[in-house]
Each structure stands twice: as structure tokens, then as C-alpha cells.
Amino acid sequence: MTNSNAKGAKVTSTSTAFQDEFARASEAAEFIRQKIKVQPKIALVLGSGLGGFADELQDATVIPYAQIPHFPATSAEGHAGNLVVGKVDDVPVAAMQGRVHYYEGHSLLRVTFPVRVFSRLGIKAAFFTNAAGGVNLQLEQGCLVVLKDHINLQGSNPLIGPNDDRFGPRFSDMSEAYAKDFRALALKEGKRHGITICEGVYAAVSGPSYETPAEIRYLRTIGADTVGMSTVPEVIVARHCGIKVLAISCVTNMAAGILNQPITHAEVLETGARVRGQFVALLKSLIPRMAETLS
Ligand code: HPA
């Protein structure tokens, strides 16, 4: 059923749950706005091992997630749990040092809350990084993969529930979830830095167990190049809010059954640490290029 709320915006439900979500995101955005000196243009969501990049921002304001109204607090190893707002080469950015995952037991509404806060902050683009397993046999441990598309196998969608038209439309287009111009920039800048980089399709699973070899053969058959446990819910919500997206995975390990060895979280963190320098160089050179495309 379609109703109008106090501001006259259409809310496709009689429930107030999503009206509350808009109010919650607005409250968090207002809290952040009071603390920061610059209006961020790009959101950075930094996955396992890359959170340290936020420490390099100029004129930074560090806001622990725990202080931000309604913000979910992270528990995963390798994720600091701060929002850092500062500049990269004069481009104001808001960087998340770590994110919460579905496998931690948060609802997808909680997992994607920060993206809605970014939207309420007026941010127009988001850059996600993550660790992923290599499914495509041509990939190698340590290479970077620019997401050209994804397959959502998490078993749910963060937009399930009443739609609030103030965020975006009921049925959200996903035919170019990952902006073509951002992808081209990422490949170009990556090559310029001598980084092993390519494009691929990311399959999102819930985790937290890693996949079985049979599941990896299935993922390869359906067209996945990499597999991971994050990013896709946030990308769905970012697109719903009209935020332009770039996402890059670091292949921290070859997926289950490819090499004759078990997959460990330690290996994921180790490879992430080994590639960190390259990833940071790429982030630094991409952010100004991405900003140029935004009006
Ligand atoms: N599977 C799922 N998620 C991951 C992996 C993997 O092999 N590596 C890093 N994140």
C-alpha cells in the first residue's frame, strides 16, 4: 500500500520501519556533519588489512563508530571501527576503517546503514575494497580484481521490506552497478602502477565458513571469477541511493579445492598485508581521477 509521510514523500507500506531508517540515517549524518571540517565527496569502505590507509588522510577527523548514533560496531579481526573524514590530494573523503558483515549476525539493514548515512551526507561516489578468493583459475594470489558485476548468493537482499522513496525507487536498476568510467580508470591507473589487475565478477556468499570445492566449481560454472563475504549488500544500497560505485578485490587466496591446501584467515590477512602498498598507491591515484568525474 502506498502512503504519504509528513513531508509528502511516498512510502510504499503502512509500516514506519523505513521512515525510521531514514530518520536514523539523517541523525547519524547530522552527528558526523557537526564534527567534520570538509564535505566528503567520496566514501571509502576499506576491507581487511587496508584500514591503515585512513591514517594517511590529511586534516583528518576520526570518529569511532561507537559514537555515531545507530552505527553498527565491527568485531571482525583486522577492522578498526572508525570513520575517518579527511583529504586525499585535496579531495575530501569519508573512510570506513572496517565494516560489519552479514556473517557477524547483523541484519542486512544494519550492514548497509553506513551507506545510507553517506547518502544523507550528500556523498556521490563510493569505493569499496575487499578480500576475495580466486575462483577463475587464471587469477593469482595477490592480484587485484576490479568488479565489473556481481552475483548475490547471500540468500537475501538489503532492500527487502517497505521501500522509502526518499532513498530510492522500489525496483532498483542493477544493469551497471559498477560504473564503467570508474572501472576503466581503475584498470588504467593499476597498469600505470605496474599492478597485476583485471576485471571480474564477484560472487557474494554469506560465510563465515569458506566454500567447499564443489561450491567453487559451481561458482565457476555460473560465471564468478572471485568469491567473498562482503560488499554486495552495500553496493545494492548504494545504487538504490544513486551513489556511483567502484569496488576492487584483492585475491588473498585461491578458492577452496584449487590448491592442495586449506584456506585460513591468517593467509587472507598475510596476502592483504603483502599487497597493501600497491593497493594504497592505487587508491591514492584513483581518488582524484574519480572526483573529476563527479559534478
Ligand atoms: N571465500 C570467501 N571469502 C573470502 C575468501 C574465500 O576464499 N578469501 C577471502 N575472503
Side-chain angles (χ1 to χ4, degrees):
M1 173 173 183
T2 299
N3 282 346
S4 288
N5 64 17
K7 286 188 186 157
K10 268 196 304 164
V11 179
T12 318
S13 165
T14 52
S15 161
T16 56
F18 268 61
Q19 288 170 277
D20 291 344
E21 195 63 4
F22 191 85
R24 279 194 285 267
S26 304
E27 189 188 341
E30 194 44 43
F31 175 87
I32 294 164
R33 204 174 276 123
Q34 297 297 326
K35 298 217 174 284
I36 58 182
K37 298 166 245 170
V38 289
Q39 159 70 39
K41 258 191 153 177
I42 299 177
L44 309 176
V45 182
L46 304 167
S48 311
L50 272 187
F53 175 65
D55 298 329
E56 297 184 27
L57 302 185
Q58 299 127 25
D59 302 327
T61 305
V62 180
I63 312 172
Y65 295 162
Q67 289 182 7
I68 305 172
H70 318 296
F71 228 70
T74 172
S75 67
E77 205 182 316
H79 295 264
N82 295 315
L83 181 71
V84 187
V85 180
K87 287 185 185 168
V88 179
D89 242 357
D90 273 343
V91 178
V93 299
M96 283 182 74
Q97 283 186 309
R99 53 155 72 87
V100 300
H101 302 82
Y102 192 36
Y103 64 71
E104 292 173 77
H106 300 277
S107 69
L108 290 180
L109 200 61
R110 297 289 87 219
V111 169
T112 56
F113 181 75
V115 177
R116 289 195 159 129
V117 175
F118 292 144
S119 152
R120 298 300 298 133
L121 270 173
I123 288 176
K124 300 283 186 259
F127 187 165
F128 298 89
T129 70
N130 61 40
V135 173
N136 185 320
L137 299 173
Q138 294 183 348
L139 294 173
E140 283 171 15
Q141 205 176 5
C143 70
L144 301 186
V145 181
V146 180
L147 275 68
K148 68 175 174 199
D149 206 345
H150 71 228
I151 303 171
N152 180 14
L153 296 171
Q154 291 201 329
S156 191
N157 186 301
L159 301 179
I160 286 177
N163 187 63
D164 189 329
D165 292 355
R166 289 171 296 178
F167 283 124
R170 166 79 290 184
F171 300 105
S172 190
D173 176 49
M174 292 294 287
S175 45
E176 196 194 300
Y178 302 87
K180 234 181 192 156
D181 57 346
F182 280 177
R183 284 156 42 201
L185 282 172
L187 290 174
K188 188 171 154 212
E189 288 298 311
K191 284 182 183 139
R192 195 168 68 78
H193 284 279
I195 294 170
T196 312
I197 192 164
C198 61
E199 277 193 322
V201 175
Y202 175 93
V205 294
S206 70
S209 53
Y210 290 116
E211 302 68 42
T212 63
E215 286 166 343
I216 294 302
R217 288 194 297 276
Y218 163 72
L219 293 181
R220 196 176 299 124
T221 306
I222 64 171
D225 298 298
T226 55
V227 58
M229 305 173 191
S230 67
T231 305
V232 163
E234 293 111 301
V235 170
I236 292 171
V237 167
R239 295 306 302 137
H240 184 240
C241 298
I243 293 174
K244 219 174 140 179
V245 170
L246 174 66
I248 304 184
S249 299
C250 170
V251 176
T252 51
N253 56 282
M254 291 312 287
I258 296 178
L259 305 176
N260 191 20
Q261 60 188 51
I263 296 162
T264 64
H265 188 52
E267 177 190 17
V268 169
L269 294 179
E270 262 165 45
T271 312
R274 182 160 62 76
V275 178
R276 186 181 297 143
Q278 287 188 349
F279 220 148
V280 164
L282 185 60
L283 277 160
K284 277 187 181 154
S285 63
L286 268 176
I287 289 162
R289 302 283 88 75
M290 289 167 73
E292 282 165 12
T293 75
L294 304 171
S295 50

